[in-house]
Amino acid sequence: MPTLTAADTIRILVATDSHVGYNERDPIRGDDSWKSFHEVMCLAKDEDVDMILLAGDLFHDNKPSRKAMYQVMRSIRMNCFGEKPCELEMLSDASEIFQGAFNHVNYEDENLNVAIPVFSIHGNHDDPSAEGHLCALDILQIAGLVNYYGRTPESDNILVKPILLQKGLTKMALYGMSNVRDERLFRTFREGKVKFFRPEIQQNEWFNLIAVHQNHLESHAHTETGFLPENFLPGFLDLVVWGHEHECLINPRMNPEMSFHVMQPGSSVATSLVPGEAVPKHVAIVSITGREFKVEPRRLKTVRPFLMKEIILNEEKGMKALAKKDNNRSEITRYLEEIVNDLIEEANADWLEAQGEMEEDEEERELPLPLVRLRVEYSAPDGGKFECENPQRFSNRFVGKVANVNDVVQFYRKKSATTKRSKGETEMPEESVLAQLAIDNVKVEKLVREFLTAQSLIILPQNSFGDAVSQFVDKDDKHAMEMFVNESLAQQIKHLMEVDKGDEEELQSAMDQCRSRLEELFAQGRLKKANNWDSDRDGEWADQPGAIVLPENEMEVDEDEEDGGGGMAPPTARGRGRGGQTTGRAARGTTQKSKTAAGKTGGRGTRKKAVVEHSEDDEIAADEDVIMLDDDEEEPTRAPAKTTRGGRKATGTTTKSKPSAAAARSTATAAPKRTSTRATSTATAGRQSKLNFSQPAASQTQTRGGRGATKKIQELSADEISDDDDDDDDAFEPAPSSATRTRYARNRR
């Protein structure tokens, strides 16, 4: 093999997790992210590299602000465009890698002068979503600034095709796999549905490099499958650039099992106050010559200094004796202030050291306010107590000295032994767990999971709950929670409708069973696409938080069920209304109406004649006023027949509300106010239920037959019904008879 020279070396500047736009509204730290990114771009120009490789999370949000987008475009155009020709030769079919109208690398565009091409995959923060399934990198690509590759349009069938580049005698196959939800990617790898393509010829002469953006270690995962094991990647790779992890491990590490090296550049800006972010930030220049490579770390100088320290107050000198002293808050506060001041001085000294010696024409350097975090474990010995100041009040003592003026100190206690708790008491995570789950060092899914584990969810599934909250917080999806709750409730309601059980414990068991089934479906990824989902408009359905949906016919409600059972009552149940929604009052009104229509006589004939002689309009009005229902009454349920006063069997339904209250309302409407029949009918037309009085003759005949055979069912005359109005012991108050209303109308004339 011929000797390779510098002309055969591909020099790549590697960076990950720039998070441009992070905390941009903060008056002190708002410009940190784009300044660090600008330094990376300037470094690429100064080092005269052949290309830049970004391994995800260029932006902190998938909908970056105009300021963030402007700063990124400005930096790329200032440092990556120019008259210098790009020496990389594209050997593969670019149309298979790049999408859209400009399906080629930007440095081959005749309208652009690209000196240093930028290749980037997307991360979990700037991933495609919503309309058109586009992301911020698509905008940069269409503008000719970035070559966006490594798309994963199908999460359950991933095809990884390389970009084949050559410079001199060095051939490089550049692979990229953008972020996929960790659990889903784990399952896809395990099912063998991830396929890597390789060059057909001279496979041993290609240097294979891949950029991924996933959870790296199992200890950082939120679930058992929430990470990407290194041994899932193919063994023919030479170097893996791992994004997503913010701790800077810039020196490549050899994986003896897979025989490839793994490099983790980390983030260029601290997005959380944890030990991993306190490591000095670096980027790397990777020089590839043939099948060999070397890494040259470059420390970033514009990164805000960050120091973190953790102490156990009980083990500090003099603190153990102080624990037994009353009112020791002031002494503890002074002691902690000294530690924080020492950290501030150390952080400033480290930043000045990283800047190197000042040049003659260089302006005086301005020290940035450092980030300082002090974690204090304040469990006191037996018989003692450490009285600590409010964390925010303590942090505000350092305004003008630190950048994080609200969270300088973090107090937590050592986890104590579990104590027996009462049955109804809710167990919350220990204070130390809450300290570790601070919002600045953990993902929302894990925070939700830790809290929900201590609770007892009955309706909503836990795993999809955390995913919906993550979509709402991280992806700014305003409808994520609404969609999740609606779909979960719809599933529960459907399941309960199928369960014919009325016992409370059995219903509780049914809800638990449905919730467990939803959690299993979500964990297994058995997703169904919504029937009205538009992929071009709303994005890939598989990437949405509530991808488990109902089939078309599951959301349809039976009209008979909505009517409460609907249909007509059997003839034996006299006076039953539609859907079992009438009360005993309706039964009496129906009996009275049937007698009126038949023109029966008996008992007291004078009043019977009045019933027969009243006008047709009055009869219609009386029919409409047979029953008056209040909107406040609860939905009636079927109840066994009860025998009321006079031996009359009240069939139909009863309500859960007090019948005396409903009867009082009915009586007050008919008697005291003495309003006209037509006015009353019109006023209550919108509130009363429609009654179906079909088969009146059959009902009447059956009643007569029953009277002849037994005295269990006794038909009441109009006078008897009228006389019952003054009896408060009757649970079912009847409506005023039509005869009474007709007589009252005649007296008024």
Side-chain angles (χ1 to χ4, degrees):
M1 185 175 180
T3 303
L4 300 178
T5 62
D8 303 315
T9 301
I10 302 177
R11 303 182 75 239
I12 308 172
L13 187 143
V14 178
T16 67
D17 296 270
S18 299
H19 286 274
V20 177
Y22 169 74
N23 211 10
E24 62 183 352
R25 295 185 179 180
D26 188 282
I28 300 175
R29 306 164 61 187
D31 295 334
D32 288 1
S33 58
W34 71 260
K35 286 182 177 179
S36 298
F37 176 76
H38 183 66
E39 182 187 0
V40 173
M41 295 295 104
C42 293
L43 184 62
K45 183 178 181 180
D46 296 339
E47 293 286 345
D48 194 21
V49 298
D50 294 306
M51 59 176 283
I52 299 173
L53 177 62
L54 304 177
D57 281 354
L58 172 58
F59 294 98
H60 186 68
D61 301 308
N62 64 352
K63 297 178 182 178
S65 65
R66 284 174 288 186
K67 176 183 177 181
M69 182 66 73
Y70 168 79
Q71 295 295 348
V72 168
M73 298 177 75
R74 181 183 70 91
S75 297
I76 294 177
R77 185 167 180 179
M78 287 177 60
N79 297 283
C80 299
F81 280 44
E83 297 180 356
K84 174 200 148 186
C86 181
E87 299 181 15
L88 297 176
E89 181 182 359
M90 183 80 170
L91 301 181
S92 57
D93 185 1
S95 61
E96 295 181 356
I97 308 297
F98 305 106
Q99 300 177 359
F102 303 95
N103 54 357
H104 53 266
V105 288
N106 60 350
Y107 63 86
E108 291 185 353
D109 194 318
E110 59 183 8
N111 298 315
L112 301 174
N113 287 332
V114 178
I116 304 176
V118 179
F119 293 85
S120 177
I121 62 174
H122 75 250
N124 60 308
H125 279 263
D126 54 2
D127 59 335
S129 63
E131 300 178 1
H133 202 60
L134 299 174
C135 67
L137 292 179
D138 285 296
I139 299 176
L140 296 181
Q141 180 181 353
I142 207 69
L145 300 174
V146 168
N147 298 296
Y148 172 34
Y149 79 110
R151 291 177 172 88
T152 52
E154 297 181 50
S155 301
D156 56 351
N157 185 26
I158 300 176
L159 305 178
V160 185
K161 297 182 180 181
I163 299 175
L164 302 180
L165 302 173
Q166 182 175 357
K167 179 182 178 183
L169 299 178
T170 299
K171 301 180 180 66
M172 182 181 68
L174 178 61
Y175 294 85
M177 189 166 58
S178 295
N179 178 264
V180 179
R181 191 163 177 247
D182 292 295
E183 291 82 2
R184 186 175 299 161
L185 183 62
F186 190 99
R187 183 177 62 253
T188 307
F189 266 104
R190 187 172 52 191
E191 295 174 354
K193 295 184 178 180
V194 180
K195 183 178 180 180
F196 288 81
F197 290 81
R198 299 187 65 184
E200 296 180 355
I201 59 174
Q202 300 175 339
Q203 292 185 353
N204 295 330
E205 297 182 6
W206 292 87
F207 183 89
N208 301 289
L209 186 152
I210 186 173
V212 299
H213 192 97
Q214 304 291 150
N215 278 336
H216 194 181
L217 302 176
E218 186 176 3
S219 58
H220 296 176
H222 313 308
T223 61
E224 295 180 356
T225 60
F227 71 107
L228 176 61
E230 291 182 2
N231 56 11
F232 276 14
L233 299 175
F236 66 82
L237 295 173
D238 297 298
L239 178 62
V240 179
V241 177
W242 211 290
H244 184 66
E245 299 289 351
H246 284 205
E247 183 178 3
C248 183
L249 303 174
I250 199 65
N251 295 316
R253 174 184 53 82
M254 178 69 178
N255 186 321
E257 179 185 357
M258 304 305 297
S259 300
F260 54 63
H261 289 80
V262 179
M263 181 175 64
Q264 184 176 299
S267 65
S268 58
V269 62
T271 60
S272 57
L273 303 180
V274 295
E277 296 276 18
V279 179
K281 304 295 185 182
H282 291 78
V283 295
I285 296 177
V286 179
S287 300
I288 302 172
T289 306
R291 293 295 302 274
E292 303 295 331
F293 75 98
K294 69 176 182 178
V295 176
E296 304 173 41
R298 295 287 189 273
R299 182 170 179 176
L300 299 178
K301 299 180 180 180
T302 58
V303 177
R304 188 178 297 275
F306 173 35
L307 281 183
M308 183 172 182
K309 186 176 182 179
E310 183 171 358
I311 64 172
I312 300 176
L313 207 56
N314 190 31
E315 298 178 359
E316 294 295 312
K317 184 178 179 180
M319 288 293 105
K320 192 169 185 180
L322 190 62
K324 298 181 180 180
K325 179 181 177 181
D326 295 335
N327 300 323
N328 54 15
R329 176 177 297 180
S330 58
E331 289 89 343
I332 295 175
T333 301
R334 282 196 297 268
Y335 180 76
L336 297 180
E337 280 185 11
E338 293 178 1
I339 297 178
V340 173
N341 287 324
D342 292 341
L343 290 176
I344 294 174
E345 293 179 3
E346 184 180 353
N348 292 334
D350 290 345
W351 186 85
L352 291 174
E353 182 181 355
Q355 305 305 310
E357 297 182 0
M358 292 184 59
E359 299 179 0
E360 295 181 358
D361 56 346
E362 186 179 358
E363 297 180 0
E364 184 178 355
R365 297 169 180 171
E366 181 181 356
L367 279 171
L369 297 178
L371 297 171
V372 174
R373 167 58 67 89
L374 177 64
R375 297 190 74 232
V376 181
E377 198 281 310
Y378 67 106
S379 299
D382 295 339
K385 182 180 180 181
F386 290 122
E387 297 182 4
C388 299
E389 191 175 5
N390 178 275
Q392 186 164 357
R393 186 182 299 115
F394 178 87
S395 301
N396 291 153
R397 296 174 181 267
F398 303 96
V399 173
K401 296 181 179 180
V402 298
N404 54 318
V405 294
N406 293 321
D407 49 8
V408 171
V409 68
Q410 182 183 38
F411 296 106
Y412 72 98
R413 281 182 177 174
K414 185 169 51 179
K415 187 175 182 180
S416 58
T418 57
T419 57
K420 186 176 181 181
R421 56 190 178 92
S422 59
K423 182 177 179 181
E425 184 180 357
T426 302
E427 182 182 5
M428 296 298 291
E430 294 292 333
E431 199 162 341
S432 60
V433 177
L434 296 178
Q436 295 174 2
L437 293 179
I439 196 65
D440 57 356
N441 68 343
V442 74
K443 288 192 173 181
V444 177
E445 302 100 317
K446 185 174 182 180
L447 187 65
V448 173
R449 180 171 59 85
E450 290 292 339
F451 275 94
L452 294 184
T453 302
Q455 313 300 321
S456 56
L457 291 181
I458 299 177
I459 298 177
L460 302 178
Q462 176 178 317
N463 49 6
S464 49
F465 193 111
D467 185 73
V469 175
S470 175
Q471 293 285 336
F472 177 80
V473 175
D474 294 339
K475 308 299 175 58
D476 196 22
D477 188 350
K478 299 180 181 179
H479 303 287
M481 293 301 300
E482 177 185 2
M483 184 166 58
F484 159 71
V485 173
N486 290 341
E487 292 172 357
S488 300
L489 292 179
Q491 287 276 19
Q492 282 281 5
I493 293 173
K494 177 183 178 297
H495 182 72
L496 293 178
M497 293 292 290
E498 296 174 353
V499 178
D500 188 16
K501 299 177 181 178
D503 186 68
E504 183 176 352
E505 295 182 358
E506 294 176 342
L507 290 177
Q508 176 75 23
S509 176
M511 288 190 290
D512 292 340
Q513 180 182 1
C514 181
R515 190 197 74 251
S516 300
R517 182 175 63 86
L518 292 177
E519 291 178 349
E520 292 177 1
L521 290 175
F522 188 86
Q524 296 172 4
R526 295 170 56 186
L527 310 177
K528 296 180 181 180
K529 187 174 180 181
N531 299 316
N532 59 349
W533 192 266
D534 188 350
S535 298
D536 294 335
R537 182 192 64 196
D538 302 320
E540 290 297 326
W541 171 250
D543 292 335
Q544 303 305 314
I548 301 178
V549 298
L550 298 173
E552 290 181 354
N553 55 355
E554 289 190 5
M555 293 300 294
E556 296 178 358
V557 180
D558 191 353
E559 294 181 359
D560 294 337
E561 293 179 0
E562 294 226 339
D563 290 338
M568 296 200 314
T572 55
R574 289 180 62 203
R576 286 175 85 181
R578 180 171 177 259
Q581 294 183 358
T582 58
T583 62
R585 293 175 295 166
R588 293 191 178 185
T590 307
T591 304
Q592 181 179 352
K593 180 183 176 184
S594 301
K595 292 187 297 181
T596 302
K600 293 190 299 180
T601 61
R604 302 177 182 180
T606 305
R607 294 188 179 181
K608 276 296 179 182
K609 290 180 181 179
V611 174
V612 176
E613 293 175 359
H614 71 268
S615 64
E616 182 179 357
D617 292 340
D618 292 334
E619 180 178 355
I620 296 176
D623 292 346
E624 293 178 347
D625 290 337
V626 169
I627 181 171
M628 297 175 63
L629 295 181
D630 199 301
D631 291 339
D632 297 334
E633 294 185 18
E634 298 183 7
E635 182 71 12
T637 57
R638 293 185 180 276
K642 297 182 180 179
T643 304
T644 59
R645 186 176 60 80
R648 181 171 180 264
K649 193 173 184 180
T651 60
T653 60
T654 60
T655 62
K656 295 182 181 179
S657 59
K658 296 181 181 179
S660 59
R665 286 194 296 269
S666 178
T667 306
T669 305
K673 293 186 179 180
R674 300 294 182 182
T675 56
S676 66
T677 303
R678 292 184 181 274
T680 305
S681 174
T682 304
T684 60
R687 296 174 50 186
Q688 61 190 25
S689 301
K690 294 182 179 180
L691 301 178
N692 188 356
F693 298 111
S694 60
Q695 301 179 346
S699 176
Q700 183 177 1
T701 304
Q702 194 169 8
T703 305
R704 289 179 178 176
R707 187 187 303 173
T710 178
K711 293 186 178 181
K712 288 185 178 180
I713 300 176
Q714 180 179 353
E715 185 176 8
L716 303 180
S717 66
D719 292 336
E720 292 172 315
I721 293 176
S722 177
D723 294 339
D724 288 344
D725 291 343
D726 298 331
D727 192 353
D728 294 335
D729 296 333
D730 192 355
F732 299 97
E733 293 291 338
S737 66
S738 57
T740 303
R741 273 180 272 184
T742 305
R743 185 169 58 254
Y744 173 70
R746 288 177 177 176
N747 293 335
R748 294 191 63 181
R749 295 194 190 104

